[in-house]
Amino acid sequence: MTARRPEPSAKPRVWVTRAEPGASRTAARLRDMGLDPVVHPLLIVEPLTPPLPDLDRFAALAFTSANGVAAFSALTLRRDRPVFAVGQTTAQAALRAGFVAVRSAEGDLTALARLIAAELSDAVLLSPQAETPAGDLPAALEAVGARNVAVQPLAVYRTVEASPPAPPAYEAVLIHSPRAARALASWLEIRPSRDQAEAVYACISPAAAFPLTALGLAPSISEQPNEETLLATLKAALGKRDAPV
């Protein structure tokens, strides 16, 4: 039986699909916005334990996610390598982990490549990342004309799909990655409901929106691939939904 929808005065319930520990951080930000988070991750992060190369060989570390920072930091106590981070969330994770020299690209993988290319040449970077990365940092560096900058990937975690129980009624869904979007699309196909058609979907990028558009939904897409802009996109979309007609 479908749960009864709340009265218009109730706080909109937002399904947080990302993996922990990021899901709880997002939930706290949603509460600060006056929203009611429903934390039901569709993804689970599993740390890996690869053998570490000699860190002295690398001019810097390149992190493309906070999950990469956490998984790598659990493998070694060394924090002396400079860090290039894709965005502010990843940079803050590196600072919390004890890295001191941290630079944030404040954007996406292309922005990260541009920052590295502007700072380094004739260098080798270590990139602790997902077992199946969402992007190709070496290709991005080549595309921006980096001067002889090589990247050695190191798989430090994997992301697998979870099988959560059906969440309660929700008015909005947050999607932080294409992988989560694919999991959500599969989930919605086998568990259709009235909420599915009426909900607001806020996606962090066009790639994260694509699996939902394939279902005939019309997600709102963040102009920048970071959570701050994503949450602003969600707020605007909820405002449009509640506006009088």
Side-chain angles (χ1 to χ4, degrees), residues 104-138:
S104 172
E106 302 287 353
D108 55 11
L109 199 66
T110 299
L112 177 61
R114 289 193 181 117
L115 176 61
I116 293 170
E119 298 288 335
L120 296 179
S121 62
D122 301 313
V124 181
L125 299 176
L126 182 66
S127 180
Q129 60 186 30
E131 186 176 55
T132 305
D136 189 335
L137 182 56

Side-chain angles (χ1 to χ4, degrees), residues 52-61 63 72-73 76-84 94 97-102 126:
L52 287 180
D54 179 5
L55 297 184
D56 290 330
R57 294 173 39 215
F58 302 100
L61 304 173
F63 288 112
F72 177 78
S73 298
T76 176
L77 296 177
R78 288 189 59 175
R79 303 291 189 267
D80 58 328
R81 297 294 84 186
V83 167
F84 291 97
F99 293 97
V100 177
V102 179
L126 182 66

Side-chain angles (χ1 to χ4, degrees), residues 23-38:
S24 292
R25 293 194 297 268
T26 298
R29 298 186 70 177
L30 289 170
R31 291 188 190 97
D32 289 342
M33 295 169 61
L35 302 174
D36 185 9
V38 180

Side-chain angles (χ1 to χ4, degrees), residues 1-6 13 167-171 193-195:
M1 182 174 67
T2 302
R4 190 178 68 178
R5 299 179 65 82
R13 286 177 279 197
Y170 55 91
E171 287 72 58
S193 69
R194 182 177 65 176
D195 293 326

Side-chain angles (χ1 to χ4, degrees), residues 217-228:
L217 301 174
S220 298
I221 303 173
S222 176
E223 292 184 359
Q224 298 293 329
N226 58 65
E227 186 169 80
E228 183 175 358

Side-chain angles (χ1 to χ4, degrees), residues 37-64:
V38 180
V39 178
H40 280 268
L42 290 173
L43 302 174
I44 298 172
V45 174
E46 296 181 348
L48 303 175
T49 55
L52 287 180
D54 179 5
L55 297 184
D56 290 330
R57 294 173 39 215
F58 302 100
L61 304 173
F63 288 112
T64 56

